[in-house]
Amino acid sequence: MDTITDPTRHRILTGDRPTGRLHLGHYFGTLQNRVRLQDIGVELYVVIADYQVLTDRDVADDLTGHVEELVLDYLAAGVDPARATIFTHSAVPALNQLLLPFLSLVSVAELSRNPTVKDEIAHSRQSAVSGLMFTYPVHQAADILFCKADLVPVGQDQLPHLELTRTIARRFNDRYGAGVFPEPEALLSKAPLLLGTDGTKMSKSRGNAITLAAGADETARLIKRAKTDTDRHIGYDPVGRPEVSSLLLLAALCLDRTPSQVAHSIGAAGSAALKKVVTEAVNEYLAPIRARRAEYARDRAYLRTVLREGNERARAVADTTLAEVRAAMNSL
C-alpha cells in the first residue's frame, strides 16, 4: 500500500530502540512521516523497544536516560501524546507474553534466514549473539499485533520482516480457528537515503550523524568534515557522486527544493560552498525543533507523564488482546 484513502480506519505501529538520540536520517526517514500520519487522523502507536537493547551494556546502563531522550525527540518533532500512544516494552507485560505463543508458530530455520536477524548478527558489538536478539523479529511481530495494527510503515528492505509478522498472524488464526489478528500491510516508505558525514550509512553508533539535539555550531563542524570529492562543479548524481548527492539531498529536504535545484544554485563554487548551503539550511530548518526540544527538556516530569499515560493506554489494549489469545487457545 502506497497511500491511505481513509486514515481514521487504520492503526499504525512504529517505533525505535533507545540506543541514542535520533538524527536527521531518522527525522526525514520516519519521524516526519509519523507526524504526517498522526495529523491526517491515523491512530498511531509508537513503541520504545527498551527490552531489545538489554544485550547492549553501554545502553542498558542508562536505559531510563536513553528512553527520555527518545521521548524528547518525538515531542520536538511534533508527535502529539494526546493523539499518539508512546509506550515502552517493559511497561506492557501482556505484549511480551505474546512472544511465547508466537515463537511456537515459527521455525528456527525461518528465524535464521530472516534478514533482520542476519543484519543484527553482522553488526553486533557483542562476542556472541543472545537468544533475545535471535527472537527479535518475533518480538517485533508482537509489537505490531498486540494493538492489531493493520499498517506498518517500512522500506523495501524491511518487507521480509513484515512478511514474518503476516505469517504469524495467519498461522495463529488458522491453528486456533479465530480471526484474532489482522495480516498487516506494508505502508511503503519513500524515505530518502541520507549518508553519514563519512560517506557510509548514517548511524548513531558510527558517530557520523547530525542529531536533532545537536547545536548549530556542532552541526557546522560535522558538515564541514563531511566527505565530498574533488570535482568543483556541484551536481546531483547519487550513483557517481554519492557523498555530494547526499548533502544536496539534505539541503533540498530542508529547503523544500529538489537536489538538482540546489546543485544549480551552487554551480562550480565547490564543496566549501555546498557545505555552507547545507549548514545554513539544516540549522534554519532545525531551529524550531531544537527550541521545542530544549523547552521539553526543562520539564522531565512531563516526559514521565507522557510515558505513564501512554503505557496505561498500551497496557489496556494489550490486556484485551492477550485475553482474546487465551480464549482462542483455550488456555488460562
Side-chain angles (χ1 to χ4, degrees):
M1 179 181 290
D2 297 309
T3 58
I4 298 177
T5 55
D6 187 356
T8 59
R9 293 181 57 239
H10 296 289
R11 179 177 284 179
I12 284 177
L13 184 288
T14 183
D16 305 278
R17 287 186 291 175
T19 55
R21 293 170 170 176
L22 299 184
H23 52 63
L24 284 173
H26 295 120
Y27 179 81
F28 287 113
T30 61
L31 279 177
Q32 190 180 56
N33 191 43
R34 290 176 196 175
V35 175
R36 180 188 68 83
L37 292 167
Q38 164 198 275
D39 290 347
I40 65 174
V42 173
E43 188 176 1
L44 180 65
Y45 281 72
V46 184
V47 58
I48 298 176
D50 54 349
Y51 271 170
Q52 289 300 339
V53 297
L54 292 179
T55 58
D56 188 331
R57 180 176 296 277
D58 291 340
V59 174
D61 282 351
D62 184 25
L63 196 50
T64 299
H66 285 292
V67 168
E68 288 188 358
E69 288 299 310
L70 272 189
V71 177
L72 277 173
D73 285 334
Y74 294 157
L75 298 179
V79 176
D80 181 358
R83 293 181 288 167
T85 299
I86 302 171
F87 67 99
T88 59
H89 267 157
S90 57
V92 188
L95 182 161
N96 298 292
Q97 283 183 263
L98 292 174
L99 184 62
L100 294 179
F102 285 179
L103 278 172
S104 74
L105 299 170
V106 295
S107 68
V108 171
E110 285 174 315
L111 288 177
S112 298
R113 62 175 177 260
N114 185 278
T116 303
V117 172
K118 288 182 178 180
D119 184 68
E120 290 296 331
I121 291 173
H123 291 91
S124 174
R125 293 179 293 175
Q126 310 300 317
S127 58
V129 175
S130 74
L132 179 64
M133 189 174 289
F134 193 70
T135 61
Y136 181 60
V138 181
H139 207 168
Q140 285 187 309
D143 295 341
I144 296 166
L145 296 177
F146 97 94
C147 64
K148 301 188 180 181
D150 64 318
L151 290 177
V152 183
V154 293
Q156 288 284 346
D157 60 330
Q158 296 168 306
L159 287 176
H161 158 65
L162 182 60
E163 190 53 42
L164 181 65
T165 299
R166 290 170 54 82
T167 297
I168 288 171
R170 184 167 56 253
R171 287 177 181 171
F172 185 93
N173 293 338
D174 289 345
R175 177 173 296 183
Y176 298 107
V180 174
F181 295 112
E183 293 183 34
E185 295 184 50
L187 183 61
L188 287 174
S189 169
K190 297 178 182 178
L193 177 60
L194 291 172
L195 299 179
T197 53
D198 59 356
T200 66
K201 180 180 178 182
M202 190 175 290
S203 169
K204 289 179 282 190
S205 62
R206 296 178 184 180
N208 64 358
I210 300 167
T211 67
L212 300 186
D217 291 343
E218 181 184 353
T219 298
R221 287 195 299 271
L222 288 167
I223 294 174
K224 185 176 182 179
R225 75 184 192 201
K227 185 178 179 182
T228 53
D229 57 37
T230 57
D231 189 343
R232 284 193 59 81
H233 189 275
I234 301 302
Y236 185 63
D237 178 5
V239 175
R241 305 179 70 184
E243 296 92 353
V244 167
S245 296
S246 183
L247 287 173
L248 286 169
L249 176 57
L250 177 54
L253 290 166
C254 293
L255 295 170
D256 195 22
R257 301 170 68 187
T258 68
S260 295
Q261 288 173 332
V262 177
H264 181 72
S265 71
I266 299 170
S271 61
L274 168 62
K275 291 178 181 179
K276 182 175 185 294
V277 169
V278 175
T279 299
E280 291 175 352
V282 169
N283 278 333
E284 182 176 354
Y285 187 91
L286 287 183
I289 294 175
R290 288 166 170 165
R292 288 194 297 270
R293 196 182 194 282
E295 183 177 352
Y296 285 122
R298 288 192 287 269
D299 189 356
R300 295 279 168 168
Y302 176 67
L303 302 183
R304 291 188 285 272
T305 296
V306 168
L307 275 175
R308 184 179 67 251
E309 293 178 352
N311 288 338
E312 288 173 357
R313 291 198 296 270
R315 277 196 295 270
V317 171
D319 288 346
T320 298
T321 300
L322 183 60
E324 291 180 40
V325 165
R326 286 171 169 168
M329 296 177 67
N330 196 28
S331 62
L332 296 177

